[in-house]
Amino acid sequence: MKRSVGAILGLFSLAGTLYADDPIPIRNGRAITLPYLRLTPRTDVGELGRRRSFASIAIANDYRLTDRSIEDVELYRFEFGAREPFAGGDLEWTAALQAFGGGFLDPIIDGWHAGVLRWSHPERDRAAFGRTRIEIDGHRQSLGAGLGDLKLQWNRNWNERVLSLAVELPTGNARKLTGSGELEAGVGVGFPVWERGRWEASLHLAAIWQFGRSELARVRSIVDQETVSARYRIRDGESWHIQWHSEASAHRTGIPESDAAHRIWGFGWRKRFDSGESIEIYFTEDRDLFTGGFPALADVGPDFAIGFRWFVVR
């Protein structure tokens, strides 16, 4: 315990001597978790007088089967928003439109598993293409399309780190799984921890208070969230990103495979242009990345997710 506390304090003390660009804002796309608030990891704040606007699309194929539950759905999420700068920080807002369907990724994922990872869960291989169903202990979740919850996040430089406070307003529909149904709040801190040559790494830690409702299971009251990000600078304005995301499950179902820590890996590319515009492309993988054998590294998450993000600084 003393060694762990010492290591954390050492990371905090080192942070003041380094700089790291923001991680790519990747979410764990598990369908029953996505409606709840999660902070966007920040290690940098906006430049005074320059507004950042953004839009993104993410597609996540979620599959999970136990003797008490089934989750088989493809999710489409379009987000848009902006970061408004002020002295020493910025305020960002994010709105979302979300829909569900059987999707088109099933055969692509099967090919990815067979041709690249060389491993797949046996139940996944037998699953029907295009199915849309979420059911836990006999409770079937209604699914719909529409506006998601509105997130407000305040980011401020704090002792060479970025302190973030966030709230999520219940503008979505909890019964259709596009929102949590209640006001939620969270706090987080992001900071760089390592830099060498073209490589840099950062850490983001957060805690979220969930007050949302669910037809499926009891909602967890407090959720921890962690992001470890590594960036390789290819050249000025262009970089590769490797990110590890971990968070507690949003619910307590009593099913070990559902309540385990949600851990995924993200792999992305970012390119900035002289016009002030930037693009990001990424994909994520769950436990299949390590043939299901290393839950401490990767466990619960969508089977596969892809995303594209555009933003501009003016």
Side-chain angles (χ1 to χ4, degrees):
M1 179 65 180
K2 290 182 178 179
R3 289 183 179 179
S4 299
V5 173
I8 293 173
L9 292 176
L11 290 175
F12 269 86
S13 64
L14 177 62
T17 66
L18 301 174
Y19 168 80
D21 205 2
D22 280 334
I24 293 177
I26 294 173
R27 278 287 308 265
N28 187 312
R30 186 184 182 190
I32 67 172
T33 295
L34 203 56
Y36 298 90
L37 170 66
R38 297 296 180 266
L39 271 70
T40 303
R42 296 297 182 203
T43 56
D44 188 21
V45 296
E47 182 181 344
L48 189 62
R50 306 196 71 185
R51 184 175 191 259
R52 303 184 189 186
S53 303
F54 57 86
S56 67
I57 178 72
I59 304 172
N61 189 289
D62 198 18
Y63 180 82
R64 201 162 293 100
L65 178 67
T66 73
D67 57 355
R68 294 169 51 191
S69 65
I70 179 171
E71 299 172 56
D72 190 356
V73 67
E74 195 159 288
L75 180 147
Y76 314 96
R77 186 176 177 90
F78 173 68
E79 292 187 346
F80 56 96
R83 299 177 67 179
E84 306 286 351
F86 59 85
D90 60 43
L91 176 66
E92 61 180 300
W93 62 271
T94 305
L97 298 172
Q98 189 169 295
F100 301 90
F104 64 92
L105 285 180
D106 282 336
I108 298 174
I109 293 172
D110 283 355
W112 166 259
H113 285 163
V116 180
L117 298 184
R118 304 287 184 178
W119 186 86
S120 180
H121 200 283
E123 281 81 6
R124 167 84 204 190
D125 295 335
R126 293 192 291 267
F129 287 171
R131 182 170 54 183
T132 303
R133 184 179 178 186
I134 298 177
E135 185 174 321
I136 297 178
D137 285 336
H139 301 286
R140 187 158 184 172
Q141 173 68 52
S142 299
L143 299 173
L147 182 67
D149 288 347
L150 175 66
K151 183 173 75 173
L152 303 175
Q153 182 166 319
W154 175 80
N155 308 299
R156 185 171 181 83
N157 281 324
W158 170 69
N159 196 22
E160 304 292 343
R161 299 157 190 86
V162 175
L163 175 67
S164 298
L165 303 174
V167 295
E168 194 164 75
L169 308 180
T171 53
N173 187 334
R175 293 194 301 172
K176 298 296 185 180
L177 212 59
T178 62
S180 70
E182 297 287 347
L183 179 74
E184 297 185 323
V187 59
V189 61
F191 50 91
V193 295
W194 181 77
E195 184 176 2
R196 178 171 296 178
R198 293 177 179 267
W199 286 96
E200 62 184 39
S202 64
L203 178 65
H204 183 267
L205 308 172
I208 297 96
W209 286 264
Q210 297 187 149
F211 306 105
R213 303 188 300 268
S214 174
E215 299 177 356
L216 295 172
R218 185 160 60 95
V219 176
R220 195 182 295 270
S221 57
I222 300 177
V223 168
D224 62 276
Q225 177 190 350
E226 300 83 30
T227 299
V228 180
S229 175
R231 182 173 79 109
Y232 176 77
R233 295 188 299 273
I234 304 170
R235 57 183 65 87
D236 287 346
E238 186 176 5
S239 53
W240 294 108
H241 294 250
I242 303 173
Q243 298 178 191
W244 179 76
H245 299 262
S246 177
E247 61 189 65
S249 64
H251 305 84
R252 296 182 185 270
T253 66
I255 304 172
E257 297 90 339
S258 180
D259 295 349
H262 288 30
R263 293 171 177 148
I264 60 170
W265 287 81
F267 305 89
W269 172 77
R270 174 184 288 156
K271 172 68 175 177
R272 289 193 175 95
F273 300 94
D274 294 339
S275 62
E277 295 178 295
S278 298
I279 59 172
E280 297 168 341
I281 302 172
Y282 68 87
F283 75 94
T284 73
E285 256 293 355
D286 66 346
R287 63 197 301 266
D288 295 335
L289 190 63
F290 301 106
T291 63
F294 298 94
L297 294 179
D299 203 1
V300 181
D303 227 11
F304 190 85
I306 55 175
F308 174 86
R309 186 170 182 266
W310 166 90
F311 62 99
V312 60
V313 179
R314 289 285 188 265

